[in-house]
Amino acid sequence: MTLKIILLLVMAALLIGSGEAVAQTPTTGWNPVTFKKPSDAELKRELTPEQYAVTQHEGTERPFHNAYWDNHEAGIYVDVVSGEPLFSSLDKYDSRTGWPSFTKPLEPANLQTKDDHRLLADRTEVRSAHADSHLGHVFDDGPKPTGLRYCMNSAAMRFIPAEKLEEEGYAQYKPLFDKPKK
């Protein structure tokens, strides 16, 4: 086992034994009450260089060369730092931009927007509300019914397939993907 896994197991055992809540990890779902953003040093260790550059320094990954631009699986997308639910595959569409695009957020309260004038253009940046991760931008050239295009960086998100929602702590979203009974 790697040192990281051993440390996580020891921490979990100590927390369970003390009666305290187990610290949140990417596979235990999302709890805004217990989430505490990791330090910059921890983020540098835990994230890939691209994830770190995108989420912490407003980077942008290359179009058509990222994990989710062409993902057609059913499931949800969560913040790679916090695990907070962001988008559903049910609202994903092919914007032909090379980045994963969505018409609306899964949980609007988990997103915040701010004006971005960095590239000599007026844009609206999208960040996760709790981890303050840079996710991408939102534009008003999307399809109906919202007319919005949430153009996100794959590096800022982690995809959880519909069949793994329960085991990863996101069971409340499972009914979105259940097939209706005839």
Side-chain angles (χ1 to χ4, degrees):
M1 281 199 265
T2 67
L3 180 60
K4 186 177 176 180
I5 293 172
I6 292 169
L7 288 173
L8 284 173
L9 292 172
V10 169
M11 281 179 33
L14 287 172
L15 289 172
I16 292 169
S18 68
E20 306 240 348
V22 174
Q24 182 170 336
T25 65
T27 58
T28 59
W30 160 246
N31 185 339
V33 175
T34 60
F35 174 72
K36 181 178 182 295
K37 184 174 179 175
S39 70
D40 192 61
E42 289 173 303
L43 290 172
K44 280 183 182 176
R45 271 194 319 271
E46 306 270 328
L47 301 175
T48 68
E50 184 175 47
Q51 289 172 327
Y52 180 79
V54 167
T55 61
Q56 304 307 300
H57 295 288
E58 294 78 37
T60 300
E61 64 197 0
R62 290 178 52 208
F64 303 103
H65 296 280
N66 57 75
Y68 305 129
W69 77 273
D70 198 26
N71 181 25
H72 300 285
E73 260 189 278
I76 67 170
Y77 297 81
V78 302
D79 182 291
V80 73
V81 172
S82 65
E84 57 196 292
L86 303 170
F87 297 98
S88 165
S89 63
L90 299 172
D91 303 307
K92 186 174 184 289
Y93 73 101
D94 183 3
S95 64
R96 301 185 196 286
T97 62
W99 289 285
S101 297
F102 305 87
T103 57
K104 66 181 182 179
L106 176 60
E107 294 288 352
N110 289 344
L111 297 181
Q112 33 185 354
T113 59
K114 67 184 213 179
D115 293 338
D116 177 359
H117 308 288
R118 280 179 293 225
L119 293 180
L120 302 174
D122 291 334
R123 301 183 299 168
T124 304
E125 179 186 15
V126 179
R127 299 185 76 85
S128 62
H130 299 88
D132 195 33
S133 299
H134 169 76
L135 303 171
H137 292 84
V138 63
F139 303 95
D140 62 2
D141 61 359
K144 293 180 180 180
T146 66
L148 298 175
R149 172 173 55 99
Y150 286 85
C151 188
M152 302 293 103
N153 287 286
S154 293
M157 302 183 295
R158 185 169 72 90
F159 178 72
I160 302 172
E163 64 273 4
K164 292 191 175 194
L165 289 170
E166 195 166 353
E167 74 184 67
E168 295 221 16
Y170 297 92
Q172 69 270 34
Y173 300 106
K174 196 171 177 320
L176 293 174
F177 303 99
D178 289 343
K179 303 238 187 289
K181 295 179 181 171
K182 294 182 180 185

